[in-house]
Amino acid sequence: MKLSVEISKYPLAEDYIGPIKGFIEQLNQYPEIRVITNTMSTQLFGDYDEVMQALQSCIKASFAQYGKVVFVCKFIHGDLQP
């Protein structure tokens, strides 16, 4: 099953650029997932289990490293790559 995800990260800190870039860099370590970034959000495309595993790992690492962070996500069944 394919999955498309749109995710935005909002670190609750003055220095927010570093945590956002770090999260995107972590996501890019998963070659089986296509990662597209723009100024508003990051989009992920791939197999459901692989995308969810990557998200779980990267979100957990982000909480551990940066503390309070808000993630806003949209999950859509299917591959909706532009």
Side-chain angles (χ1 to χ4, degrees), residues 9-24:
K9 177 179 179 176
Y10 301 97
L12 300 180
E14 286 186 36
D15 177 28
Y16 58 90
I17 298 293
I20 293 170
K21 285 186 176 182
F23 181 71
I24 294 168

Side-chain angles (χ1 to χ4, degrees), residues 6 19 22-23 33 37:
E6 181 178 57
F23 181 71
I33 297 171
T37 59

Side-chain angles (χ1 to χ4, degrees), residues 16-74:
Y16 58 90
I17 298 293
I20 293 170
K21 285 186 176 182
F23 181 71
I24 294 168
E25 288 171 3
Q26 283 184 312
L27 288 171
N28 279 313
Q29 297 301 309
Y30 293 85
E32 65 277 5
I33 297 171
R34 179 156 185 227
V35 179
I36 299 174
T37 59
N38 60 52
T39 57
M40 299 285 292
S41 65
T42 299
Q43 298 173 347
L44 310 174
F45 306 94
D47 179 73
Y48 178 91
D49 291 329
E50 293 170 346
V51 171
M52 294 303 289
Q53 180 182 0
L55 276 176
Q56 180 181 0
S57 176
C58 293
I59 289 172
K60 183 177 182 178
S62 188
F63 285 149
Q65 184 172 359
Y66 300 111
K68 294 187 188 230
V69 177
V70 175
F71 288 96
V72 177
C73 305
K74 296 177 190 174

